[in-house]
Amino acid sequence: MKIDSEKQNDIKKALGKRAASLVKNGMIVGLGTGSTANCFIESLIERCKEGLKIEVVSSSTHSLKRAEKGGIPLADMNFITKIDLTVDGADEIDPYNRMIKGGGGALVREKILASSSRQMIVIVDETKLVNQLGDFGLPVEIISFGYSATIFKLKELGYDGELRKLDHELYKTDNGNYIFDIRSPKRFLTPEKDDDVIKKIPGVVDTGFFFNMATSVLVGYANGNVKLRKAR
Amino acid sequence: MKIDSEKQNDIKKALGKRAASLVKNGMIVGLGTGSTANCFIESLIERCKEGLKIEVVSSSTHSLKRAEKGGIPLADMNFITKIDLTVDGADEIDPYNRMIKGGGGALVREKILASSSRQMIVIVDETKLVNQLGDFGLPVEIISFGYSATIFKLKELGYDGELRKLDHELYKTDNGNYIFDIRSPKRFLTPEKDDDVIKKIPGVVDTGFFFNMATSVLVGYANGNVKLRKAR
């Protein structure tokens, strides 16, 4: 399903506002990365101007800077062991709230945040809802050393795709690694198994699969509605 | 068991020489890291001076430089998908040839090499033979971002230890990550399970466990003997 970009912006704003309304005083909040997360940050800045007291950490410098510019105090991720609430988008989410993330290239840091959070609210428009994960592709972060050997192993196991590029150069994550975007298989019938197999390959840091992370999902629809879906 | 350092040097030299004798013309050879691997490199340089034609890759710049200085041609690891033979040491090895490596801090690169190799010969003196893995500790490479949260998760699961330091600074691997040295549990009764559990933690890149990697093991004894042990 396609939604025109103006409408999509409205949906993202509504999602961001709704998610920001769930943040409470004194929380350490994890900020995701991407255009939907940005709308959340903007709404959060508004709430902080009205008196909300929180501190934030983030999976990207971009989101952190945005928050800081808006006057939200930053916490030091080096000393944080638990985050109260993380709000982030997703590239695909299935009926079991299993997700694929990593389109923005920050999957490892996003997973560190999500897995350290007491609550994770995922905000997506309805185009991200899928019955089976895979159409988006699966981003996999790999160590740059020996990347050809690592990709060779992925392909031997049936996972084909390509190294992500940016401006004709290999894309490097904030952790200094590469992203291999798996394009085949087109759909993952047993994503937990695929995750296990892929992560066992030496040189693989992590995959874009997120399981058992979302505690609730806010879905924005083309008709303007925002609905809450609880994790099963 | 303790072996005095002069004797240990003799054992390492004997091991290096024996391993080098197994290298054949035309091979791409993987060089490990550490004092035993250094003895192998020295013997390999001798063989190359006598006419052996090979190319080498390595898990460390140090070993590569040593080989290059000795006149051995280097291959570019960026384009290598298969290595013919890797020779490396180990910190501990059990009767099933399961190993703990990473004392030198290069475990991720060592595992990429070992897993890309048709053959891996492990060279150890008899002090490295153990019935159960663990006394050495288990090095785990973790992403620097959010390291306190990652260590918190390790400890929650019963894996205690400390971040490796070098000259009062946190030690950084060639991949830009940290090493957490697990000291407790003292012994791993089911290392495969521990490996699975630890690797599932977001932020963990890899562990120092090496399973099903060694195709043969050369053991050097205090009495001067070198014995070959095949993988089961």
Side-chain angles (χ1 to χ4, degrees):
Chain A
M1 189 215 243
K2 285 273 173 201
I3 304 177
D4 69 63
S5 65
E6 198 180 326
K7 189 137 220 164
Q8 210 153 25
N9 259 339
D10 290 344
I11 298 175
K12 285 176 184 176
K13 278 183 192 165
L15 283 168
K17 197 171 176 186
R18 178 75 167 272
S21 76
L22 302 170
V23 176
K24 298 193 178 100
N25 257 326
M27 277 186 166
I28 292 175
V29 179
L31 308 175
T33 304
S35 56
T36 319
N38 283 344
C39 289
F40 167 67
I41 298 171
E42 293 313 320
S43 292
L44 206 53
I45 291 172
E46 288 314 308
R47 285 208 59 205
C48 287
K49 283 182 180 159
E50 293 159 19
L52 180 71
K53 299 275 179 233
I54 56 166
E55 286 183 274
V56 294
V57 292
S58 177
S59 48
S60 73
T61 328
H62 180 266
S63 296
L64 267 191
K65 281 190 178 154
R66 213 174 172 111
E68 195 178 22
K69 215 175 150 188
I72 309 183
L74 314 183
D76 185 345
M77 192 57 204
N78 281 344
F79 301 108
I80 299 283
T81 54
K82 280 284 175 193
I83 296 160
D84 294 299
L85 169 65
T86 285
V87 177
D88 204 353
D91 298 305
E92 280 188 351
I93 182 161
D94 81 357
Y96 303 95
N97 289 346
R98 296 182 295 196
M99 301 180 272
I100 286 181
K101 287 173 58 56
L107 66 99
V108 168
R109 293 186 173 201
E110 286 170 353
K111 203 182 275 193
I112 291 171
L113 284 197
S115 63
S116 306
S117 300
R118 292 188 178 90
Q119 282 184 72
M120 182 197 193
I121 299 177
V122 174
I123 48 181
V124 286
D125 67 58
E126 61 177 320
T127 64
K128 308 292 172 59
L129 305 178
V130 298
N131 279 320
Q132 232 160 29
L133 299 173
D135 272 350
F136 179 81
L138 177 70
V140 176
E141 185 158 329
I142 64 174
I143 296 283
S144 60
F145 177 85
Y147 68 86
S148 297
T150 303
I151 291 171
F152 184 81
K153 289 180 193 104
L154 279 160
K155 290 185 176 175
E156 267 190 323
L157 290 166
Y159 302 102
D160 212 337
E162 68 264 2
L163 273 172
R164 191 176 296 184
K165 290 192 176 175
L166 185 71
D167 303 332
H168 307 289
E169 299 273 322
L170 289 178
Y171 173 83
K172 276 218 168 187
T173 69
D174 285 342
N175 310 312
N177 303 316
Y178 293 149
I179 300 271
F180 184 74
D181 285 299
I182 293 176
R183 301 286 178 208
S184 159
K186 190 80 187 142
R187 302 280 172 86
F188 296 101
L189 302 182
T190 51
E192 280 87 356
K193 270 192 198 168
D194 290 299
D195 190 50
D196 263 0
V197 169
I198 295 168
K199 271 209 283 224
K200 282 213 167 84
I201 300 173
V204 168
V205 180
D206 216 331
T207 77
F209 284 128
F210 280 58
F211 307 135
N212 305 313
M213 298 275 186
T215 46
S216 43
V217 184
L218 287 173
V219 185
Y221 292 88
N223 63 10
N225 286 352
V226 169
K227 284 190 187 164
L228 178 73
R229 191 169 90 178
K230 284 272 176 193
R232 298 192 183 189
Chain B
M1 190 216 243
K2 286 271 173 202
I3 302 177
D4 69 64
S5 65
E6 197 179 328
K7 190 136 220 164
Q8 210 154 23
N9 259 339
D10 290 345
I11 298 175
K12 285 176 183 174
K13 278 184 192 165
L15 284 168
K17 197 172 175 184
R18 177 76 167 270
S21 76
L22 301 170
V23 176
K24 297 192 178 102
N25 256 326
M27 278 186 166
I28 291 175
V29 179
L31 308 176
T33 304
S35 56
T36 319
N38 284 344
C39 290
F40 166 67
I41 298 170
E42 292 313 317
S43 292
L44 206 53
I45 290 171
E46 288 312 309
R47 284 208 59 205
C48 287
K49 283 182 180 161
E50 292 159 21
L52 180 72
K53 300 274 178 232
I54 57 166
E55 286 182 275
V56 294
V57 292
S58 176
S59 49
S60 74
T61 328
H62 180 266
S63 296
L64 267 191
K65 279 189 179 157
R66 211 173 173 111
E68 194 178 23
K69 214 175 151 190
I72 309 183
L74 312 185
D76 185 345
M77 192 57 204
N78 281 343
F79 301 108
I80 298 283
T81 54
K82 279 284 177 193
I83 296 160
D84 293 299
L85 169 65
T86 285
V87 177
D88 204 352
D91 298 305
E92 281 188 351
I93 183 163
D94 81 357
Y96 305 95
N97 289 345
R98 297 182 294 197
M99 301 181 273
I100 286 180
K101 288 173 57 56
L107 66 99
V108 169
R109 295 187 171 200
E110 286 171 352
K111 203 182 273 192
I112 291 170
L113 284 196
S115 62
S116 306
S117 300
R118 293 189 178 89
Q119 283 184 72
M120 182 197 194
I121 299 176
V122 174
I123 48 180
V124 286
D125 66 60
E126 62 176 318
T127 64
K128 308 293 172 58
L129 305 178
V130 298
N131 280 319
Q132 232 160 29
L133 299 173
D135 273 349
F136 179 79
L138 177 69
V140 176
E141 186 159 327
I142 63 174
I143 296 283
S144 61
F145 177 85
Y147 69 86
S148 296
T150 304
I151 291 171
F152 185 81
K153 290 181 192 102
L154 280 160
K155 289 185 177 176
E156 269 190 320
L157 290 166
Y159 302 102
D160 211 338
E162 69 264 2
L163 274 171
R164 192 175 296 185
K165 292 191 174 174
L166 185 70
D167 301 332
H168 307 289
E169 299 273 323
L170 290 179
Y171 173 84
K172 276 219 169 187
T173 69
D174 285 342
N175 310 312
N177 303 316
Y178 293 149
I179 300 270
F180 185 73
D181 284 300
I182 293 176
R183 301 285 178 210
S184 157
K186 191 80 187 142
R187 302 282 172 86
F188 296 101
L189 302 181
T190 50
E192 280 87 356
K193 273 193 196 166
D194 290 299
D195 189 50
D196 264 1
V197 169
I198 295 167
K199 271 208 284 226
K200 282 212 167 85
I201 300 172
V204 168
V205 180
D206 216 330
T207 78
F209 283 130
F210 281 57
F211 307 135
N212 305 313
M213 299 276 185
T215 46
S216 43
V217 184
L218 287 172
V219 185
Y221 293 88
N223 63 10
N225 285 351
V226 170
K227 283 190 188 166
L228 179 74
R229 192 168 90 179
K230 285 269 175 196
R232 295 190 185 190

